[in-house]
Amino acid sequence: MNLTLKIWRQKDSKSKGQMVDYKVTEISEHMSFLEMMDVLNEQLINNGDSPVAFDHDCREGICGSCSMYINGEAHGPDRGVTTCQLHMRMFKDGDVITIEPFRAKAFPVLKDLSVDRSAFDRIQHAGGYISVNTSGNTQDANATLISKHNADLAMDAATCIGCGACVASCKNSSAMLFVGAKVSQYALLPQGQVEAADRVKNMVAQMDLEGFGNCTNTGACEVECPKGISLENIARMNRELLKANF
Amino acid sequence: MSVLDSKVPKGSLKDKWTDYKDHIDLVNPANKRNIDIIVVGTGLAGGSAAATLAELGYNVKTFCYQDSPRRAHSIAAQGGINAAKNYQGDGDSTYRLFYDTVKGGDYRSREANVYRLAEVSTNIIDQCVAQGVPFARDYGGLLDNRSFGGVLVSRTFYAKGQTGQQLLLGAYSAMNRQIARGKITPFNRHEMLDVVKVNGKARGIIARDLVTGKLERHSAHAVVIASGGYGNVYFLSTNAMGSNATAAWKIHKKGAFFANPCYTQIHPTCIPRSGDYQSKLTLMSESLRNDGRIWVPKSLEDAKAIREGKKKPTELTEEQRDYYLERKYPAFGNLVPRDVASRAAKELCDAGYGVNATGEAVYLDFASSFERYGKEQAKIHGIENPSSEKIIELGRALVKSKYGNLFQMYEKIVDQDPYKTPMMIYPAVHYTMGGTWVDYNLMTTVEGLYSIGESNFSDHGANRLGASALMQGLADGYFVLPYTIGDYLSHEIRTGKIPTDTPEFEEAEKEVKDKIDFLVNNKGAHSVDYYHKKLGKIMWDKCGMSRNAEGLKQAMAEIKALREDFYKNVSVPGGAYEMNAELEKAGRVADFLELGELFAKDALVREESAGGHFREEYQTEDGEAQRRTEFQFVSAWEYKGEPADAVLHKEELVYENIEVKERSYK
Ligand SMILES: Cc1cc2nc3c(=O)[nH]c(=O)nc-3n(C[C@H](O)[C@H](O)[C@H](O)COP(=O)(O)OP(=O)(O)OC[C@H]3O[C@@H](n4cnc5c(N)ncnc54)[C@H](O)[C@@H]3O)c2cc1C
Ligand code: SF4
Ligand code: FES
């Protein structure tokens, strides 16, 4: 396939960015989207130009590093996948593809397509954990029974890869799907109960402090989330918050 | 006498660890506040170590090259984690886990370390559950287990197919708690580029801020390396793209011996390479081999026609197919161990029987399972005289219930429906058993410098059983290192803050800077990937599953020549003081270009076939691996400039509690 790519280029967080057009040829439909980007970068390097910066690592859809906004959608046109799992067979010969970074006030651009998502980390520092000693003296893991239903629901919430597609897809740049998933995981497990109230209050406060917007129930996040994290988690977070405040 | 002192405590195997803990020196809590520790790597090993060290009261600085500790490569592990809990009451015990691990490693690991691993394994599960790791549960609310890789008990704990992810998020949350308390300072998007030694002791590191490109000096009373494995020396592997050997290699150059570099695990059931652009390989669960039959066409013409797309695999009759594993290993058939299955596939593809465009794939066919299960299902459902279509339909539904997600993943990547046409698979590099040599305390041959998780060599010997890498990473990080390091640090309480404006730091920083300056200023003709791919090809062809002396000697010479060419002709765009992924890659590939040569040298010395490493000269009459007791040692290499000049030190392995037997699967 031959393609035209319109890519956001930005030297660093202080510089102004702009869209730049590139052509790539001989793209195989079996390539992943990131492999197509590798081909472009190899071409740029061989021409003495600077390659496009983008985040990636596992290339298996699990680390949450890759974060491209492709043709107006986080992680591109395929459903339930990350950019590294998106394949070129989703595109046609001659297509023009627009590639931008995830945009949100709380995710400043570092370079080209790479953004700073450390706000997610800071939200977790505010309470995304259970306060247990790492001493090796915890009680036997089978001593507290957990219903399969709750364990499965907690697992579903814990599946979030922290990619930020939910933020990028939301017209309010809200991080509630991510935070809701985190809060839910612990809220569903007996181990997380003791600090539940403080946890949700602190995490939500930090989320607001970081400059993420609020949820207006549009649901774009759920649609674009590569891991199928459901809106129910936002509802659960809101319930937990209400509970915590009364 | 070897210069290597394993420091294995005296006494009976069962009591070593307990006695050791009872007698080591402790650091007074008030003094811990004055002690700094650097942890390089935040995967399962580094993350758990950092959290625990901070919990104990030390000041910890963590480093990782990703933007968040949560993205470390450990996140990708699928299958599960072993622990000798014996919840299933099927006879598991510490001794049995110990025994399986030593035997599975082909008697090339240290008894005392493995026993300790088995001993602390049970604590890991308790710890993780307490942290909120949502392991799979059964309907009664108890933890669920499955069995893995040929062992006879169910000891593998799992969280869907995302066990590594959940365990890592558990360690990361434990880190977060310490970050909130101010006991851990995280340096994400930072790469360690050298270790700093003062008076023979590790006292800090030089790191590059990957956003600004600035070099930083960080000092500490001890340095812990948890930087993962070096499988990417092959270019293509199942490892994350950024996984690298830099930290381990840089400390090797500063005096840490590198052990068993030639031990690599190669996994037989990966999705094959489909073209030259390919950046990495994807693992498919080994469980597929339970129901799939592996074959290639019997004739070279058919293989060629299939490669060219002129024939479909389904057009070949049974007689035209070579079910080579069933033919060669009638007793085990498709369920031979990983090493045997991998080697057989490569042999046939090398001989021209490969079935995909690149000629590097064999078929994993479920057609007979569809039929077998279909007939069974028809019986169960009382369907009389079912049509063959009905049988296949029923069979497919059953296979879907067992492996549906894997079939779906395969289809996403390859764009072929494995229910209709056989899957293509090929072996891929997956895990490295070699790494920095460490003693019982997990200390390297440099004082105050530790290495844990996949970056050290210990525990797995020549072969790693499934679900035991995660176990080792967390055992080291949560339960072993935090004790053993205390013994060393108890002598450091009067050291005080370590300044970074000393000649040692200056010199190390200058070395790093010179190297970076060279790379960004060398306007050569080739990209970094060009060299990485060439190196990968040499490694795969000559230092892969099958090796011989001739090939290994060639590999050493070729890698050396490639390295020289790299320093003449590599080109790295961009500058040193900016975000520059090409520069990062260049540094890593430069290290791989040295490690690769030592790898070949190590393989050359090891005149035996062990684990997945087949030395062609040393095979039994019927073509099986021949282990030779004279090679029952750990090879630990001392750096002397060029990799070819490295000096070999041997740690003899003594088995007092296990009878050394031949592994056999015929
Ligand atoms: C696809 C796949 C599936 C697997 N499945 C299983 C399984 O089911 N069960 C099992 O037991 N094992 C499995 N393994 C193996 C297991 O995942 C790894 O061995 C283990 O996770 C390694 O953990 P680690 O903490 O040692 O290193 P890693 O998780 O690799 O972490 C390395 C850390 O070091 C950092 N780092 C590296 N170099 C530097 C540097 N120079 N400067 C700063 N930071 C640096 C990285 O940023 C990262 O934080 C699997 C492996 C793969 C590839
Ligand atoms: S909720 Fe979904 S989209 Fe948001 S960070 Fe998690 S995985 Fe990504
Ligand atoms: S690179 Fe890891 S999720 Fe895409």
Side-chain angles (χ1 to χ4, degrees):
Chain A
M1 295 190 248
N2 299 327
L3 304 163
T4 304
L5 308 173
K6 292 183 169 301
I7 303 181
W8 182 259
R9 301 301 309 258
Q10 182 172 337
K11 197 167 171 304
D12 52 37
S13 52
K14 290 179 200 83
S15 312
K16 257 186 83 181
Q18 57 173 15
M19 298 300 287
V20 180
D21 288 5
Y22 298 98
K23 291 236 180 308
V24 283
T25 55
E26 288 176 53
I27 296 299
S28 149
E29 58 171 17
H30 295 301
M31 286 181 187
S32 72
F33 199 84
L34 298 189
E35 284 166 349
M36 184 276 292
M37 294 295 292
D38 293 341
V39 170
L40 169 71
N41 276 347
E42 183 83 18
Q43 183 179 312
L44 292 173
I45 294 166
N46 290 337
N47 291 338
D49 296 334
S50 88
V52 181
F54 61 91
D55 280 322
H56 66 100
D57 201 21
C58 72
R59 296 209 174 183
E60 279 193 18
I62 188 78
C63 73
S65 295
C66 60
S67 53
M68 289 179 201
Y69 202 69
I70 302 161
N71 286 345
E73 281 181 275
H75 298 303
D78 204 359
R79 285 284 85 83
V81 298
T82 51
T83 305
C84 57
Q85 295 172 302
L86 175 69
H87 279 82
M88 295 313 292
R89 61 183 79 97
M90 296 299 293
F91 300 90
K92 291 189 311 293
D93 188 33
D95 272 0
V96 178
I97 307 176
T98 309
I99 311 169
E100 297 162 273
F102 279 7
R103 289 186 200 275
K105 188 165 141 243
F107 287 172
V109 174
L110 293 173
K111 182 175 184 175
D112 299 337
L113 305 174
S114 179
V115 300
D116 179 358
R117 285 169 285 186
S118 50
F120 272 11
D121 285 309
R122 289 188 294 272
I123 294 173
Q124 305 228 68
H125 301 163
Y129 49 80
I130 290 172
S131 298
V132 57
N133 230 306
T134 43
S135 59
N137 291 322
T138 50
Q139 67 169 349
D140 189 279
N142 265 346
T144 309
L145 300 180
I146 303 178
S147 78
K148 180 167 168 47
H149 180 69
N150 275 3
D152 287 351
L153 279 180
M155 178 64 208
D156 288 345
T159 304
C160 162
I161 58 173
C163 63
C166 44
V167 175
S169 319
C170 175
K171 61 177 195 279
N172 311 316
S173 296
S174 165
M176 285 209 183
L177 196 62
F178 168 79
V179 182
K182 284 281 111 193
V183 167
S184 288
Q185 176 192 343
Y186 297 123
L188 287 157
L189 296 172
Q191 291 82 0
Q193 297 306 320
V194 183
E195 322 162 78
D198 284 340
R199 174 181 307 114
V200 68
K201 280 196 279 192
N202 292 342
M203 287 179 83
V204 168
Q206 185 66 32
M207 173 178 88
D208 294 340
L209 204 68
E210 294 288 347
F212 292 105
N214 266 318
C215 174
T216 48
N217 286 316
T218 310
C221 54
E222 187 187 63
V223 176
E224 300 291 348
C225 170
K227 296 295 151 184
I229 303 294
S230 105
L231 283 176
E232 273 171 42
N233 292 299
I234 298 186
R236 193 176 292 108
M237 177 179 81
N238 286 331
R239 279 201 302 278
E240 289 288 316
L241 191 62
L242 271 174
K243 225 168 41 185
N245 284 329
F246 286 99
Chain B
M1 242 300 276
S2 165
V3 295
L4 296 168
D5 179 2
S6 69
K7 306 234 174 74
V8 170
K10 298 261 171 319
S12 78
L13 189 63
K14 277 213 325 268
D15 300 324
K16 281 185 202 294
W17 180 231
T18 316
D19 283 352
Y20 172 93
K21 285 194 291 185
D22 286 347
H23 291 103
I24 50 170
D25 293 328
L26 297 178
V27 185
N28 162 338
N31 286 332
K32 285 185 183 140
R33 266 178 255 141
N34 302 323
I35 290 186
D36 306 324
I37 303 176
I38 284 173
V39 179
V40 178
T42 58
L44 284 179
S48 56
T52 311
L53 292 168
E55 174 91 60
L56 289 172
Y58 300 109
N59 309 312
V60 180
K61 286 180 172 184
T62 61
F63 293 80
C64 70
Y65 67 76
Q66 293 93 347
D67 66 340
S68 165
R70 64 167 291 146
R71 306 202 205 282
H73 167 62
S74 294
I75 200 117
Q78 304 163 353
I81 178 167
N82 287 336
K85 277 287 200 184
N86 195 27
Y87 282 155
Q88 306 303 334
D90 51 5
D92 202 6
S93 64
T94 299
Y95 183 83
R96 199 176 285 279
L97 175 53
F98 156 72
Y99 179 85
D100 286 348
T101 308
V102 173
K103 178 174 172 226
D106 241 341
Y107 309 94
R108 293 292 177 267
S109 46
R110 196 187 283 147
E111 265 195 345
N113 283 56
V114 180
Y115 194 86
R116 174 176 64 188
L117 172 69
E119 205 177 331
V120 303
S121 70
T122 54
N123 278 353
I124 298 175
I125 305 304
D126 299 333
Q127 183 67 50
C128 295
V129 168
Q131 285 166 356
V133 171
F135 282 117
R137 299 258 167 185
D138 64 20
Y139 283 99
L142 296 166
L143 288 162
D144 205 1
N145 291 111
R146 56 186 171 202
S147 89
F148 222 79
V151 296
L152 300 171
V153 291
S154 255
R155 64 160 72 105
T156 307
F157 294 79
Y158 64 101
K160 282 202 183 151
Q162 287 127 275
T163 315
Q165 178 193 32
Q166 292 313 314
L167 294 172
L168 183 64
L169 294 182
Y172 163 72
S173 72
M175 277 181 70
N176 284 334
R177 175 164 165 259
Q178 301 301 333
I179 293 171
R181 293 175 62 208
K183 292 304 292 181
I184 293 181
T185 313
F187 292 85
N188 306 333
R189 287 195 197 266
H190 273 69
E191 182 162 31
M192 171 217 176
L193 292 176
D194 212 349
V195 65
V196 181
K197 269 165 65 176
V198 180
N199 295 331
K201 292 179 174 178
R203 288 303 195 199
I205 63 168
I206 305 295
R208 180 169 177 269
D209 178 330
L210 299 179
V211 177
T212 63
K214 286 210 182 71
L215 293 181
E216 298 173 0
R217 303 174 190 183
H218 295 272
S219 67
H221 297 86
V223 176
V224 180
I225 304 294
S227 58
Y230 52 88
N232 279 350
V233 67
Y234 284 88
F235 185 68
L236 287 183
S237 81
T238 62
N239 288 6
M241 300 293 286
S243 296
N244 67 86
T246 289
W249 192 252
K250 289 288 160 50
I251 65 168
H252 171 57
K253 291 176 109 169
K254 288 278 163 85
F257 290 3
F258 207 99
N260 298 339
C262 82
Y263 282 165
T264 312
Q265 179 160 87
I266 294 174
H267 206 291
T269 50
C270 299
I271 297 182
R273 211 165 69 86
S274 53
D276 289 334
Y277 53 81
Q278 194 128 353
S279 57
K280 79 160 285 182
L281 298 168
T282 303
L283 180 82
M284 299 283 285
S285 171
E286 216 186 341
S287 59
L288 291 170
R289 284 202 285 149
N290 283 314
D291 283 309
R293 294 179 73 195
I294 295 176
W295 62 273
V296 291
K298 253 187 200 155
S299 83
L300 282 169
E301 290 76 64
D302 281 341
K304 184 158 179 275
I306 286 180
R307 276 200 299 274
E308 288 167 354
K310 291 179 187 145
K311 238 183 193 163
K312 290 203 184 100
T314 41
E315 289 169 27
L316 298 197
T317 62
E318 286 271 323
E319 287 67 45
Q320 293 170 311
R321 304 172 176 191
D322 178 10
Y323 295 92
Y324 57 90
L325 290 176
E326 298 167 36
R327 170 169 61 79
K328 285 163 83 172
Y329 306 97
F332 272 72
N334 296 299
L335 286 176
V336 291
R338 288 178 183 182
D339 48 340
V340 181
S342 298
R343 213 164 51 232
K346 181 166 188 288
E347 263 168 32
L348 284 158
C349 291
D350 288 349
Y353 294 93
V355 294
N356 69 345
T358 61
E360 288 179 330
V362 298
Y363 285 126
L364 177 62
D365 197 339
F366 289 83
S368 21
S369 290
F370 297 149
E371 207 173 305
R372 182 164 47 90
Y373 284 126
K375 282 186 182 148
E376 198 179 283
Q377 288 295 306
K379 241 199 206 106
I380 291 170
H381 293 110
I383 305 172
E384 305 248 339
N385 298 323
S387 65
S388 52
E389 287 80 43
K390 186 73 198 170
I391 289 177
I392 299 299
E393 184 195 313
L394 290 167
R396 278 185 186 151
L398 193 105
V399 169
K400 185 171 184 180
S401 72
K402 289 178 88 167
Y403 311 111
N405 60 335
L406 294 169
F407 274 52
Q408 199 188 354
M409 175 168 100
Y410 179 88
E411 185 171 1
K412 270 258 182 265
I413 295 176
V414 183
D415 197 28
Q416 284 184 7
D417 181 358
Y419 293 100
K420 302 218 167 93
T421 182
M423 279 186 187
M424 293 179 288
I425 54 162
Y426 199 64
V429 172
H430 178 59
Y431 180 87
T432 46
M433 277 84 68
T436 340
W437 185 88
V438 288
D439 62 17
Y440 190 73
N441 298 330
L442 305 180
M443 201 201 293
T444 67
T445 43
V446 175
E447 257 193 285
L449 183 59
Y450 291 78
S451 178
I452 58 175
E454 195 174 338
S455 77
N456 76 21
F457 88 102
S458 76
D459 299 16
H460 304 303
N463 179 38
R464 176 178 69 81
L465 294 182
S468 54
L470 301 183
M471 170 172 68
Q472 187 221 337
L474 289 180
D476 286 359
Y478 282 136
F479 305 126
V480 179
L481 176 88
Y483 277 102
T484 61
I485 204 170
D487 197 32
Y488 172 77
L489 291 173
S490 63
H491 306 288
E492 292 290 335
I493 49 179
R494 282 186 197 85
T495 307
K497 267 264 172 268
I498 294 158
T500 55
D501 54 0
T502 56
E504 290 89 350
F505 274 91
E506 233 144 74
E507 198 183 312
E509 185 181 312
K510 184 171 181 309
E511 242 178 83
V512 170
K513 186 175 178 301
D514 288 350
K515 178 97 179 245
I516 290 175
D517 286 345
F518 168 80
L519 288 168
V520 292
N521 291 322
N522 191 56
K523 295 292 171 227
H526 301 300
S527 70
V528 176
D529 275 351
Y530 166 91
Y531 289 99
H532 198 178
K533 285 180 187 172
K534 288 211 154 188
L535 173 66
K537 180 148 173 49
I538 301 171
M539 294 302 296
W540 182 247
D541 289 346
K542 297 181 174 152
C543 312
M545 291 171 275
S546 280
R547 306 152 178 190
N548 59 50
E550 191 51 35
L552 291 166
K553 283 182 201 149
Q554 285 168 5
M556 284 183 69
E558 287 171 25
I559 295 168
K560 181 172 192 273
L562 188 65
R563 188 167 66 238
E564 282 163 6
D565 190 59
F566 174 87
Y567 282 102
K568 281 196 199 107
N569 287 318
V570 73
S571 170
V572 178
Y577 300 103
E578 59 185 51
M579 217 169 146
N580 189 341
E582 282 298 304
L583 176 60
E584 291 165 33
K585 258 200 299 196
R588 293 169 192 163
V589 171
D591 293 333
F592 280 138
L593 282 165
E594 292 179 9
L595 168 69
E597 191 180 339
L598 184 68
F599 187 123
K601 185 178 160 93
D602 185 51
L604 188 61
V605 167
R606 204 163 270 283
E607 294 178 326
E608 64 161 351
S609 299
H613 317 91
F614 200 66
R615 241 332 253 281
E616 287 160 12
E617 302 95 314
Y618 301 93
Q619 46 183 304
T620 59
E621 273 173 14
D622 40 6
E624 294 309 324
Q626 186 190 2
R627 186 160 33 73
R628 303 170 70 205
T629 40
E630 55 270 51
F631 287 89
Q632 195 165 294
F633 60 79
V634 175
S635 53
W637 296 93
E638 182 183 1
Y639 183 76
K640 291 281 179 192
E642 286 286 299
D645 302 332
V647 171
L648 176 64
H649 298 275
K650 293 179 185 175
E651 180 195 340
E652 298 299 332
L653 292 165
V654 188
Y655 294 96
E656 289 170 341
N657 299 280
I658 275 188
E659 187 197 344
V660 180
K661 284 198 209 138
E662 201 77 39
R663 260 195 330 144
S664 161
Y665 13 80
K666 278 236 160 179

